[in-house]
Amino acid sequence: MYAIVDISGKQFKVTQDQFVYAPLMAGEEGASVEFDKVLLIDNNGTVEVGAPTVSGAKVSGKIIGHVKGDKVIVFKKKRRKGYKKKNGHRQNFTKVLIETISK
C-alpha cells in the first residue's frame, strides 16, 4: 500500500514505515503529524485518484528530527573582469517517519 501526499507544496510517494525528508515543519522531535492532502492511494492494485484529493484519506507520521541537507556551492564569475563570488547554502529538512496510511 502506498500513497502520494502533498507536504508543504511538494509531492511524495510514501509507504508505511518509510522515512521522508520533507521541507522544514514546525514541531518538536517525537511530535505526531497528519497529512490530509492525499492525492492518490494504491491498496494492493486498487487505485483511487482524488479530484484533487481523496476524501477521508489521511497519512500520519512522527517527526524524528530536524536536519540539514548537503551543501550546495553557488559560484559566479565573469571572465577577464576580476569578478568572483562564492556562496554556499544548506537547506533545512524535517525527517518524518510515516506510521499509517488510512482511508
Side-chain angles (χ1 to χ4, degrees), residues 25-59:
M25 293 186 274
E28 299 177 6
E29 294 182 15
S32 62
V33 290
E34 278 193 354
F35 308 109
D36 55 355
K37 291 185 181 178
V38 179
L39 305 175
L40 180 139
I41 287 184
D42 181 7
N43 191 0
N44 298 326
T46 307
V47 179
E48 187 173 345
V49 180
T53 60
V54 179
S55 62
K58 289 190 180 189
V59 175

Side-chain angles (χ1 to χ4, degrees), residues 29-93:
E29 294 182 15
S32 62
V33 290
E34 278 193 354
F35 308 109
D36 55 355
K37 291 185 181 178
V38 179
L39 305 175
L40 180 139
I41 287 184
D42 181 7
N43 191 0
N44 298 326
T46 307
V47 179
E48 187 173 345
V49 180
T53 60
V54 179
S55 62
K58 289 190 180 189
V59 175
S60 63
K62 184 168 82 172
I63 295 177
I64 301 298
H66 301 289
V67 295
K68 282 190 168 187
D70 295 334
K71 181 171 268 198
V72 177
I73 302 296
V74 179
F75 185 73
K76 300 177 182 179
K77 180 181 178 180
K78 294 189 179 177
R79 63 183 187 159
R80 297 187 299 268
K81 305 295 183 206
Y83 173 78
K84 291 191 289 187
K85 284 267 192 215
K86 183 177 179 183
N87 198 353
H89 176 74
R90 290 184 71 185
Q91 188 70 33
N92 294 314
F93 293 104

Side-chain angles (χ1 to χ4, degrees), residues 1-5 13-18 38 40-42 57-60 98-103:
M1 177 177 209
Y2 72 88
I4 297 181
V5 183
K13 180 181 176 183
V14 296
T15 59
Q16 192 170 354
D17 299 327
Q18 176 189 2
V38 179
L40 180 139
I41 287 184
D42 181 7
K58 289 190 180 189
V59 175
S60 63
I98 303 299
E99 292 176 329
T100 59
I101 300 172
S102 63
K103 170 67 179 104

